[in-house]
Amino acid sequence: QVQLVESGGGLVQTGGSLRVSCAASGRTRNTYVVGWFRQAPGREREFVAAISKGGGFPYYADSVKDRFTISRDNDKNTVTLEMNSLKPEDTAVYYCGVSTYLSRDPSGYAYWGQGTQVTVSS
């Protein structure tokens, strides 16, 4: 079992920045890939970014590429998503998940956190 806890969401104006973090505990040796997804009301959960165990091959959705940066600190079992130039359409609950392989499909992720709200005002 892996437990994930997201933190760092909040309210920001368009063009602003936020950082959300995902802290893992439990059987963290299984956290091969950590991905960030988001879900807005009435919409499906969508892929945002993912990063492999070694920190290489960060992988982004086209909608956030060049604005968001994913990184991980394996010593602290933490994955961070830095979000810059935020837009109202980035508003959603952001979730982190753990998978054994890089994937954009949320069904490939076995464990999830409870989510953290990010709201971007226009």
Side-chain angles (χ1 to χ4, degrees):
Q1 291 285 339
V2 178
Q3 293 78 44
L4 302 171
V5 178
E6 300 94 338
S7 62
L11 173 65
V12 66
Q13 292 184 333
T14 296
S17 299
L18 275 177
R19 175 190 298 173
V20 290
S21 295
C22 174
S25 61
R27 302 186 66 173
T28 56
R29 68 176 183 274
N30 294 330
T31 57
Y32 305 115
V33 171
V34 176
W36 281 99
F37 289 74
R38 64 189 181 187
Q39 189 165 17
R43 302 188 66 175
E44 293 184 351
R45 190 167 296 192
E46 66 169 353
F47 172 77
V48 175
I51 190 166
S52 61
K53 182 77 170 182
F57 305 108
Y59 188 37
Y60 299 97
D62 289 343
S63 59
V64 306
K65 199 171 183 180
D66 299 327
R67 298 190 297 123
F68 290 12
T69 302
I70 189 171
S71 60
R72 69 188 293 165
D73 183 336
N74 289 330
D75 290 336
K76 296 181 179 178
N77 294 317
T78 301
V79 173
T80 299
L81 185 69
E82 297 271 2
M83 304 182 291
N84 299 312
S85 303
L86 283 161
K87 306 174 182 179
E89 51 263 44
D90 294 317
T91 295
V93 177
Y94 282 68
Y95 298 89
C96 62
V98 169
S99 176
T100 57
Y101 58 95
L102 280 171
S103 175
R104 293 175 175 264
D105 186 347
S107 68
Y109 290 74
Y111 302 101
W112 294 95
Q114 82 290 347
T116 185
Q117 177 71 46
V118 170
T119 303
V120 185
S121 63
S122 57

